[in-house]
Amino acid sequence: MVVYSFYIFDRHAECIYKKKWAPRPTSTGSKQPNGLPDAPQTKALSAEDDAKLVFGTIFSLRNMVRKLGGEDDRFISYRTGHYKLHYYETPTSLKFVMVTDTKTNNLRIVLHQIYVSLYVEFVVKNPLSPIEHPGGVGVNCEMFELGVEQFVNASLMS
């Protein structure tokens, strides 16, 4: 399994953490197996624009799922031809998003584990970590970053 990136958004729609492991695949401009041409290549987005695009996507899909299915339905993931986006929202409206290859199974439990065992332990319980992250200050905790790196490498990329 390939993990492309991981994001955490706060309740104010600010990206407070982002980590990239591998670049997402882009179309090559060649022909697909069915003979249709791939979409033209697009230029790479900045990290900030990429985070805004990811948040906009999950915000729109989450609202669409709630309107079509009701309040009890949850948006969990979606897949394109090139990647799969996994989503977990905490009771405090933190949004954990992981982008992987298309063959990956649902990672909702994995995102919950990252929240409970890493985010709560190293960020929430850290007296030096701010409660709110105004202006996109973000999570600045070395133990959390190291924990995410080790967790993803050990449990997802093996």
Side-chain angles (χ1 to χ4, degrees):
M1 170 176 55
V2 178
V3 176
Y4 299 123
S5 54
F6 173 64
Y7 302 89
I8 301 174
F9 298 96
D10 67 5
R11 62 183 175 180
H12 305 294
E14 294 283 342
C15 182
I16 60 172
Y17 183 79
K18 59 184 162 271
K19 171 76 176 160
K20 291 191 178 204
W21 282 273
R24 266 184 256 154
T26 58
S27 60
T28 59
S30 62
K31 295 205 180 255
Q32 297 176 2
N34 61 6
L36 297 173
D38 280 345
Q41 282 190 323
T42 57
K43 104 178 174 173
L45 298 172
S46 71
E48 185 177 319
D49 289 341
D50 192 39
K52 287 179 184 178
L53 188 61
V54 168
F55 183 81
T57 302
I58 62 170
F59 180 81
S60 299
L61 288 173
R62 184 188 61 157
N63 287 342
M64 182 181 73
V65 167
R66 285 189 179 159
K67 286 183 180 175
L68 293 175
E71 286 297 317
D72 293 336
D73 284 340
R74 299 279 183 238
F75 166 62
I76 298 171
S77 67
Y78 84 94
R79 183 183 341 196
T80 69
H82 298 287
Y83 65 90
K84 185 172 182 180
L85 184 141
H86 307 268
Y87 176 74
Y88 173 72
E89 186 170 356
T90 69
T92 56
S93 296
L94 284 172
K95 295 151 187 71
F96 287 71
V97 179
M98 188 170 284
V99 180
T100 65
D101 64 343
T102 57
K103 297 175 182 130
T104 307
N105 291 328
N106 184 2
L107 294 181
R108 184 171 174 81
I109 293 171
V110 171
L111 293 174
H112 176 73
Q113 287 176 334
I114 291 172
Y115 169 65
V116 170
S117 60
L118 298 174
Y119 187 83
V120 170
E121 290 299 319
F122 295 124
V123 179
V124 174
K125 292 182 180 179
N126 183 354
L128 300 176
S129 180
I131 295 171
E132 294 288 327
H133 301 276
V137 169
V139 174
N140 189 14
C141 179
E142 190 175 320
M143 292 298 291
F144 174 73
E145 292 181 24
L146 183 63
V148 168
E149 183 77 28
Q150 289 176 345
F151 183 83
V152 169
N153 287 335
S155 54
L156 298 178
M157 292 190 178
S158 52

